[in-house]
Amino acid sequence: MSTPEQRVPRHVPLVHLLRDGMVEGVHHGSVIALAPDGSTLFAAGDPDVAMYPRSTAKPLQATAMARLGLRLPPAGFAIAAASHSGERRHLDAAAAVLAGHGLTAEDLGNPADYPFDPVERDAWVAEGRPAARLAHNCSGKHAAMLATCREQGWDPRTYLDPGHPLQQAIRATVEDLTGQTVPRVAVDGCGAPLFALSLRGLARAASRLATAAPGTPESLVAQGIRQHPDLVGGTRRDVTAVMRAVPGLLAKDGFEAVQLAALPDGTAVALKIADGGDRARAAVLAAALERCGVDAGVLEPFTNPALRVTAELEGRPRAA
């Protein structure tokens, strides 16, 4: 089991912003695509350096909870793996996980927040509603963590402590799925432990979820994500739209422009944009999926005519 090196990432230019044919801006980053057998299809930048996966880690965290015996309907696992937009369906799904285990929104350890989606947030504020824990984009993950503690008989009051048995089990699952030893533990924006890994490890984990045998904990999470892409993101989110456009795709976005995606055959992509900008993230994802064999016409809605991927990502899709 390898350990990603902690150093300044050697990102490379991945996307050029053009105005009248001249380069106006450059987005640096790193990307890797793995074949179903785990070999490298293509890579650019520094896919083996340690990085924080942010919310792309949620499917891995949900898998750990499923391995611990948490059993939820597909919608429950989808919201557990979600960075949701704060729409009514999202709040209801997270509340259902809590209610099914005798818990309420007051038990959540994540901060109070307004909905992530700007339309939902504006409506929330216009109604004079205060920030709420259930509205936080990570409330589904926290609801599942509390539900797991309830099933295991663990203290739910300290579930965010890195030394808590839940977080120790999540770390072990992250290391198993990625094939890497976690080199550093931080605190994510929602207060949960955040385990560093590499883009290669993240892609390896996504591939394992995408190809998991039916009935396994991994497949329960993958099934939930695929069946309910609307819960994983939201009405106006590209992560939801791309899963709807590409049959069987498993995808998850994260803050600071991290993205994972895996096709049903196990071909997997992981990427990170250095400046944390979502504008370049979507463009790189579309280019990477095209190189992995996804039809360019299907991916056209996720491209931007003002953005051009660099030579690092150009090339024809691999043969089917």
Side-chain angles (χ1 to χ4, degrees), residues 141 190 225:
K141 176 182 75 175
C190 65
I225 292 172

Side-chain angles (χ1 to χ4, degrees), residues 53-65:
R54 300 303 298 270
S55 285
T56 61
K58 286 176 178 173
L60 285 63
Q61 293 167 314
T63 297
M65 291 183 271

Side-chain angles (χ1 to χ4, degrees), residues 165-217:
L166 171 66
Q167 301 302 337
Q168 290 295 301
I170 290 174
R171 176 173 181 158
T173 294
V174 167
E175 292 184 335
D176 174 61
L177 292 174
T178 62
Q180 298 178 332
T181 301
V182 170
R184 180 179 288 270
V185 181
V187 179
D188 211 338
C190 65
L194 177 62
F195 303 112
L197 45 83
S198 73
L199 289 174
R200 184 182 301 276
L202 186 60
R204 187 181 295 131
S207 179
R208 288 187 61 180
L209 266 64
T211 58
T216 61

Side-chain angles (χ1 to χ4, degrees), residues 5 49 83 147 203:
E5 184 180 355
V49 71
S83 299

Side-chain angles (χ1 to χ4, degrees), residues 270-292:
L271 66 95
K272 158 72 179 170
I273 304 302
D275 60 19
D278 272 349
R279 176 174 68 183
R281 175 187 57 78
V284 173
L285 177 63
L289 288 175
E290 183 178 352
R291 284 202 63 183
C292 290

